[in-house]
Amino acid sequence: MDLGLVLQTDPPAAAVVSRMRRAERAGFRYGWTFDSAVLWEEPFVVHSRILEHTAKLRVGPMVTNPATRAWEVTASTFATLNEMYGPRTVCGIGRGDSAQRVAGRRPATLARLGEAMTVIKTLAEGRAADVGGTELRLPWVRPGTPAARLPVWMAAYGPRALELAGRQADGLILQLADPYLVEWMVRAFRAAAERAGRDPDALTVCVAAPAYLSDAEGLGHAREQCRWFGGMVGNHVADLVARYGDASDAVPAELTDYVKRRQSYDYAHHGRAGNPDTAFVPDEIVDRFCVLGTAEQHLAKLERLRALGVGQFAVYAMHDAVDPLIDGYGEHVAPRLRG
C-alpha cells in the first residue's frame, strides 16, 4: 500500500513544499493538495515547486473539477508539469464541492464530469479531442512518450458516481476510511469496471481521510482535531440523501444517518480543525471515517483496507500535529506497509 499526504495550499507555499519534501523522506509516494481557487493558493503553481524539490513524489489535486478551468487549460497544465518533471502527476477530479459552492455555483453534473475526464486525459496524452464541437490537440505533446501519460482518478460516493468511475476512471478516490463503506463502494466500482469490459485489478483505489497518532489518553483531542472531516463528507452525503432519500437501498444507512442533524455549513472553515459547523458529527463517525490511535491501531485499520483492495492511503493532514504524523508514519507505518 502506498502512502499519500494531502495538504491545503495555505500560505506560505514554501511550507507546503517543505512538508512534501519531509513526506517523501518519510516514505510517502504521493503529494496531494486541495483545489479551491477562492479558499487557497493556486495548487498547480505549488505543484511545480513540489516536483522541483522532490525526486520521485507523484503530485496532484484532491480534487480538481470540470468547472473552474477550461478543460484544455487543465490538460495543458498537467502535460507541462509532466514535460518538465517526468510523468509524476495524477489528475484527481470530482464534481466540485468547495470550489463551486464558495463561488455560489452548483457542482458539475456527472455527465459533465465524465466528458471532462475524457477530454483532459486525451489532450494531456497528446491525442485529439472534441472540446465543445471543436477538435483540439496539444501539438507539443508527443503521444506514446513516457511523459505523455496522465492517470485520472475520480472521487465518488454514490451509485451513479461509482458507476462512472468504474466505467471510465483510472482510479477511485474514496474520502472516508470506514472499512464497511469502503467495501461497499469498492465492490460497486469493480463491478462497474467489469461491466465496461475493463480489468478491475488494473485500477487504483485510494482512500483519503485524516489520521492522528495518539495514545488512549489523547484520543479525545485527536477526535476534536479530525471532527471537521465528518462535516466535509456530510456535504457530499447530503447530496446523496437529496437524490436517493435517507431510507434508500441505493445508499447504506451507515453513510447517511448521521447527517440528519446537519443544519448549515460555512466554507470559510472548510477542511479545518475546529470547524464550528461540525458539532453534529458524533464520535462514532470520527472513529469510523478517520484513522486514530497508536501506530499499531493505524496499521491494523490500514491492513483491513488493503485487504479490501485499497492501494493507497492518503492522509488529510489538517490538524495540530502534521509534522509528528509525517515522522511517525515514516518511522512506524511506512516500513510495515512496504513490507
Short mmCIF file of all heavy atoms in Angstrom, two decimals, residues 298-332:
data_model
loop_
_atom_site.label_atom_id
_atom_site.label_comp_id
_atom_site.label_asym_id
_atom_site.label_seq_id
_atom_site.Cartn_x
_atom_site.Cartn_y
_atom_site.Cartn_z
N HIS A 298 -3.32 2.19 13.76
CA HIS A 298 -3.33 2.68 12.38
C HIS A 298 -3.03 1.54 11.42
O HIS A 298 -3.73 1.34 10.42
CB HIS A 298 -2.30 3.80 12.20
CG HIS A 298 -2.72 5.11 12.77
ND1 HIS A 298 -2.73 6.28 12.04
CD2 HIS A 298 -3.15 5.47 14.00
CE1 HIS A 298 -3.15 7.28 12.79
NE2 HIS A 298 -3.39 6.81 14.00
N LEU A 299 -1.98 0.78 11.72
CA LEU A 299 -1.59 -0.33 10.85
C LEU A 299 -2.71 -1.36 10.74
O LEU A 299 -2.97 -1.89 9.64
CB LEU A 299 -0.31 -0.98 11.37
CG LEU A 299 0.97 -0.21 11.05
CD1 LEU A 299 2.11 -0.67 11.95
CD2 LEU A 299 1.35 -0.40 9.58
N ALA A 300 -3.37 -1.65 11.84
CA ALA A 300 -4.45 -2.64 11.80
C ALA A 300 -5.58 -2.19 10.87
O ALA A 300 -6.10 -2.99 10.08
CB ALA A 300 -4.98 -2.88 13.21
N LYS A 301 -5.94 -0.91 10.94
CA LYS A 301 -7.02 -0.42 10.08
C LYS A 301 -6.58 -0.37 8.62
O LYS A 301 -7.34 -0.73 7.71
CB LYS A 301 -7.48 0.96 10.54
CG LYS A 301 -8.76 1.44 9.83
CD LYS A 301 -9.42 2.58 10.56
CE LYS A 301 -10.79 2.89 10.01
NZ LYS A 301 -11.49 3.96 10.75
N LEU A 302 -5.35 0.05 8.39
CA LEU A 302 -4.85 0.12 7.02
C LEU A 302 -4.74 -1.27 6.41
O LEU A 302 -4.98 -1.45 5.20
CB LEU A 302 -3.51 0.84 6.98
CG LEU A 302 -3.54 2.32 7.39
CD1 LEU A 302 -2.15 2.94 7.24
CD2 LEU A 302 -4.56 3.11 6.58
N GLU A 303 -4.39 -2.26 7.20
CA GLU A 303 -4.34 -3.62 6.68
C GLU A 303 -5.74 -4.12 6.30
O GLU A 303 -5.91 -4.83 5.31
CB GLU A 303 -3.70 -4.57 7.69
CG GLU A 303 -2.20 -4.38 7.87
CD GLU A 303 -1.39 -4.74 6.63
OE1 GLU A 303 -1.97 -5.26 5.65
OE2 GLU A 303 -0.18 -4.48 6.61
N ARG A 304 -6.74 -3.73 7.07
CA ARG A 304 -8.13 -4.08 6.71
C ARG A 304 -8.50 -3.44 5.38
O ARG A 304 -9.14 -4.07 4.52
CB ARG A 304 -9.10 -3.61 7.79
CG ARG A 304 -9.05 -4.40 9.08
CD ARG A 304 -10.08 -3.88 10.06
NE ARG A 304 -11.44 -4.11 9.60
CZ ARG A 304 -12.53 -3.58 10.16
NH1 ARG A 304 -12.40 -2.74 11.19
NH2 ARG A 304 -13.72 -3.83 9.68
N LEU A 305 -8.10 -2.19 5.19
CA LEU A 305 -8.40 -1.50 3.93
C LEU A 305 -7.63 -2.14 2.77
O LEU A 305 -8.17 -2.31 1.68
CB LEU A 305 -8.06 -0.02 4.06
CG LEU A 305 -8.93 0.78 5.05
CD1 LEU A 305 -8.38 2.18 5.23
CD2 LEU A 305 -10.38 0.83 4.60
N ARG A 306 -6.38 -2.47 3.01
CA ARG A 306 -5.60 -3.10 1.95
C ARG A 306 -6.25 -4.42 1.52
O ARG A 306 -6.29 -4.73 0.33
CB ARG A 306 -4.16 -3.35 2.41
CG ARG A 306 -3.36 -4.16 1.39
CD ARG A 306 -1.88 -3.91 1.41
NE ARG A 306 -1.24 -4.18 2.68
CZ ARG A 306 0.08 -4.02 2.87
NH1 ARG A 306 0.85 -3.60 1.89
NH2 ARG A 306 0.63 -4.27 4.05
N ALA A 307 -6.78 -5.18 2.46
CA ALA A 307 -7.44 -6.44 2.13
C ALA A 307 -8.68 -6.24 1.28
O ALA A 307 -9.12 -7.16 0.57
CB ALA A 307 -7.80 -7.18 3.42
N LEU A 308 -9.25 -5.03 1.32
CA LEU A 308 -10.43 -4.72 0.51
C LEU A 308 -10.06 -4.22 -0.88
O LEU A 308 -10.95 -3.91 -1.68
CB LEU A 308 -11.28 -3.67 1.23
CG LEU A 308 -11.87 -4.08 2.58
CD1 LEU A 308 -12.57 -2.90 3.24
CD2 LEU A 308 -12.84 -5.25 2.42
N GLY A 309 -8.77 -4.12 -1.17
CA GLY A 309 -8.33 -3.69 -2.50
C GLY A 309 -7.84 -2.27 -2.55
O GLY A 309 -7.61 -1.73 -3.65
N VAL A 310 -7.64 -1.62 -1.40
CA VAL A 310 -7.16 -0.25 -1.37
C VAL A 310 -5.65 -0.25 -1.63
O VAL A 310 -4.89 -0.93 -0.93
CB VAL A 310 -7.48 0.43 -0.02
CG1 VAL A 310 -6.87 1.82 0.05
CG2 VAL A 310 -8.99 0.48 0.18
N GLY A 311 -5.22 0.54 -2.61
CA GLY A 311 -3.81 0.59 -2.97
C GLY A 311 -3.07 1.79 -2.42
O GLY A 311 -1.84 1.84 -2.47
N GLN A 312 -3.81 2.79 -1.93
CA GLN A 312 -3.16 3.97 -1.34
C GLN A 312 -4.01 4.52 -0.20
O GLN A 312 -5.24 4.58 -0.29
CB GLN A 312 -2.95 5.09 -2.36
CG GLN A 312 -2.29 6.32 -1.77
CD GLN A 312 -2.12 7.49 -2.73
OE1 GLN A 312 -1.97 8.64 -2.33
NE2 GLN A 312 -2.14 7.21 -4.02
N PHE A 313 -3.33 4.92 0.87
CA PHE A 313 -3.97 5.69 1.93
C PHE A 313 -3.38 7.08 1.89
O PHE A 313 -2.18 7.27 2.08
CB PHE A 313 -3.76 5.06 3.31
CG PHE A 313 -4.33 5.90 4.43
CD1 PHE A 313 -5.66 6.29 4.40
CD2 PHE A 313 -3.55 6.30 5.49
CE1 PHE A 313 -6.21 7.08 5.41
CE2 PHE A 313 -4.08 7.07 6.51
CZ PHE A 313 -5.41 7.46 6.47
N ALA A 314 -4.23 8.08 1.61
CA ALA A 314 -3.80 9.48 1.54
C ALA A 314 -4.27 10.19 2.80
O ALA A 314 -5.47 10.24 3.08
CB ALA A 314 -4.38 10.16 0.29
N VAL A 315 -3.34 10.72 3.56
CA VAL A 315 -3.62 11.30 4.86
C VAL A 315 -4.00 12.77 4.71
O VAL A 315 -3.20 13.59 4.26
CB VAL A 315 -2.39 11.19 5.78
CG1 VAL A 315 -2.71 11.80 7.15
CG2 VAL A 315 -1.95 9.76 5.93
N TYR A 316 -5.24 13.11 5.10
CA TYR A 316 -5.61 14.51 5.23
C TYR A 316 -4.96 15.06 6.49
O TYR A 316 -5.33 14.70 7.60
CB TYR A 316 -7.13 14.65 5.34
CG TYR A 316 -7.87 14.67 4.03
CD1 TYR A 316 -8.82 13.70 3.72
CD2 TYR A 316 -7.64 15.66 3.10
CE1 TYR A 316 -9.51 13.72 2.53
CE2 TYR A 316 -8.33 15.70 1.90
CZ TYR A 316 -9.26 14.72 1.63
OH TYR A 316 -9.94 14.76 0.44
N ALA A 317 -3.97 15.93 6.31
CA ALA A 317 -3.20 16.44 7.43
C ALA A 317 -3.60 17.88 7.74
O ALA A 317 -2.87 18.82 7.45
CB ALA A 317 -1.71 16.33 7.15
N MET A 318 -4.77 18.05 8.30
CA MET A 318 -5.27 19.36 8.68
C MET A 318 -5.57 19.34 10.18
O MET A 318 -6.72 19.26 10.62
CB MET A 318 -6.54 19.75 7.90
CG MET A 318 -6.29 19.97 6.42
SD MET A 318 -6.50 18.42 5.52
CE MET A 318 -5.80 18.87 3.93
N HIS A 319 -4.50 19.35 10.97
CA HIS A 319 -4.65 19.35 12.42
C HIS A 319 -3.37 19.92 13.04
O HIS A 319 -2.51 20.44 12.32
CB HIS A 319 -4.99 17.95 12.95
CG HIS A 319 -4.09 16.85 12.44
ND1 HIS A 319 -2.72 16.85 12.61
CD2 HIS A 319 -4.37 15.70 11.75
CE1 HIS A 319 -2.20 15.75 12.09
NE2 HIS A 319 -3.17 15.05 11.54
N ASP A 320 -3.24 19.80 14.33
CA ASP A 320 -2.14 20.47 15.04
C ASP A 320 -0.90 19.59 15.19
O ASP A 320 0.02 19.96 15.94
CB ASP A 320 -2.61 20.94 16.41
CG ASP A 320 -3.04 19.79 17.34
OD1 ASP A 320 -2.98 18.62 16.91
OD2 ASP A 320 -3.44 20.07 18.49
N ALA A 321 -0.85 18.45 14.49
CA ALA A 321 0.30 17.56 14.66
C ALA A 321 0.73 16.99 13.31
O ALA A 321 0.96 15.79 13.18
CB ALA A 321 -0.04 16.43 15.63
N VAL A 322 0.86 17.87 12.31
CA VAL A 322 1.18 17.40 10.96
C VAL A 322 2.58 16.80 10.90
O VAL A 322 2.77 15.67 10.42
CB VAL A 322 1.04 18.55 9.94
CG1 VAL A 322 1.44 18.07 8.55
CG2 VAL A 322 -0.39 19.09 9.94
N ASP A 323 3.57 17.54 11.38
CA ASP A 323 4.95 17.04 11.31
C ASP A 323 5.15 15.78 12.15
O ASP A 323 5.79 14.82 11.68
CB ASP A 323 5.94 18.13 11.71
CG ASP A 323 5.98 19.26 10.69
OD1 ASP A 323 5.59 19.03 9.52
OD2 ASP A 323 6.38 20.38 11.04
N PRO A 324 4.62 15.71 13.38
CA PRO A 324 4.74 14.46 14.12
C PRO A 324 4.07 13.28 13.41
O PRO A 324 4.56 12.15 13.48
CB PRO A 324 4.04 14.77 15.46
CG PRO A 324 4.20 16.24 15.63
CD PRO A 324 4.09 16.80 14.24
N LEU A 325 2.97 13.55 12.71
CA LEU A 325 2.31 12.47 11.98
C LEU A 325 3.19 11.99 10.82
O LEU A 325 3.36 10.78 10.62
CB LEU A 325 0.95 12.92 11.45
CG LEU A 325 0.20 11.80 10.72
CD1 LEU A 325 -1.22 11.68 11.20
CD2 LEU A 325 0.22 12.02 9.21
N ILE A 326 3.74 12.93 10.04
CA ILE A 326 4.61 12.54 8.94
C ILE A 326 5.79 11.71 9.46
O ILE A 326 6.10 10.63 8.93
CB ILE A 326 5.12 13.78 8.19
CG1 ILE A 326 3.98 14.52 7.50
CG2 ILE A 326 6.20 13.39 7.17
CD1 ILE A 326 4.37 15.87 6.93
N ASP A 327 6.43 12.19 10.52
CA ASP A 327 7.58 11.48 11.07
C ASP A 327 7.18 10.15 11.67
O ASP A 327 7.90 9.14 11.53
CB ASP A 327 8.28 12.35 12.11
CG ASP A 327 8.85 13.64 11.53
OD1 ASP A 327 8.99 13.71 10.29
OD2 ASP A 327 9.13 14.57 12.30
N GLY A 328 6.05 10.12 12.37
CA GLY A 328 5.58 8.87 12.97
C GLY A 328 5.25 7.82 11.93
O GLY A 328 5.57 6.64 12.09
N TYR A 329 4.62 8.27 10.84
CA TYR A 329 4.33 7.33 9.75
C TYR A 329 5.64 6.85 9.10
O TYR A 329 5.77 5.69 8.72
CB TYR A 329 3.40 7.98 8.72
CG TYR A 329 1.95 7.61 8.91
CD1 TYR A 329 1.32 7.80 10.13
CD2 TYR A 329 1.21 7.06 7.87
CE1 TYR A 329 0.00 7.45 10.32
CE2 TYR A 329 -0.12 6.71 8.05
CZ TYR A 329 -0.71 6.90 9.28
OH TYR A 329 -2.03 6.54 9.47
N GLY A 330 6.60 7.76 8.98
CA GLY A 330 7.87 7.37 8.40
C GLY A 330 8.59 6.33 9.22
O GLY A 330 9.24 5.43 8.68
N GLU A 331 8.48 6.44 10.55
CA GLU A 331 9.20 5.51 11.42
C GLU A 331 8.45 4.22 11.67
O GLU A 331 9.05 3.13 11.66
CB GLU A 331 9.48 6.21 12.76
CG GLU A 331 10.28 5.35 13.73
CD GLU A 331 10.62 6.08 15.02
OE1 GLU A 331 10.29 7.27 15.14
OE2 GLU A 331 11.22 5.44 15.93
N HIS A 332 7.11 4.31 11.86
CA HIS A 332 6.38 3.14 12.33
C HIS A 332 5.41 2.53 11.32
O HIS A 332 5.08 1.34 11.43
CB HIS A 332 5.58 3.52 13.58
CG HIS A 332 6.41 4.04 14.69
ND1 HIS A 332 7.31 3.25 15.38
CD2 HIS A 332 6.50 5.28 15.26
CE1 HIS A 332 7.92 3.98 16.32
NE2 HIS A 332 7.43 5.22 16.26
#
